[in-house]
Amino acid sequence: MLKPLFVLLVLLPFAPLQQPATPAAPSTMPADAAHLVNPVKSTPESQAHAKKMYGYDCAMCHGANGNGKGELVADMKLTVKDYTDPAALKDLSDGELFYIIKNGKGQMSGEGDRAKPDDLWNMVILVRSFAKK
């Protein structure tokens, strides 16, 4: 009776684990996203926190300074906009950027509920600042 239990315990680590599917980013942005207005005023502390979040979650693809040349871009054969170019974001409102950062776009996963809305709005300010340097 213990033998089948023992075999099961020995083989369990070799059983394939099914990974939950990563939800795809929404394909269309709601119309009201374009009209959202950034309610936060950045502070040195809030921008330091946004830079830290960006470094953890975004720089691997978007590059440390937003130039779109992160480490994973070539490996994953991605095309990522260069946010140091002011033209890259000129057609996106702050609300649209907020929506993309929160919900993702294409292969990019969003922050979802991991980040507070104020943190996401500060990330919008940070991304816009890349073109001003």
Side-chain angles (χ1 to χ4, degrees):
M1 182 182 221
L2 292 175
K3 194 172 188 178
L5 182 60
F6 177 74
V7 170
L8 180 64
L9 290 174
V10 169
L11 294 177
L12 190 61
F14 299 104
L17 297 175
Q18 185 175 359
Q19 295 290 327
T22 303
S27 59
T28 58
M29 186 178 307
D32 63 340
H35 304 292
L36 294 175
V37 176
N38 191 337
V40 302
K41 300 288 182 218
S42 72
T43 64
E45 295 80 18
S46 68
Q47 284 304 286
H49 182 66
K51 284 180 186 178
K52 188 174 183 179
M53 285 176 49
Y54 180 89
Y56 290 144
D57 297 337
C58 312
M60 65 187 88
C61 292
H62 291 282
N65 66 350
N67 65 359
K69 297 179 182 175
E71 297 171 7
L72 295 180
V73 170
D75 293 344
M76 295 179 67
K77 297 177 176 75
L78 300 173
T79 302
V80 180
K81 286 185 178 182
D82 178 358
Y83 295 142
T84 62
D85 177 3
L89 298 174
K90 71 177 178 63
D91 294 330
L92 290 173
S93 70
D94 283 356
E96 289 168 318
L97 281 175
F98 177 89
Y99 183 86
I100 292 168
I101 294 168
K102 180 174 176 53
N103 298 295
K105 181 178 179 183
Q107 290 182 289
M108 181 185 114
S109 61
E111 290 295 317
D113 294 328
R114 294 185 307 157
K116 297 175 187 171
D118 283 2
D119 291 338
L120 299 175
W121 284 115
N122 276 298
M123 186 72 74
V124 169
I125 294 167
L126 176 67
V127 170
R128 289 228 185 262
S129 77
F130 292 143
K132 296 175 184 171
K133 294 182 179 177

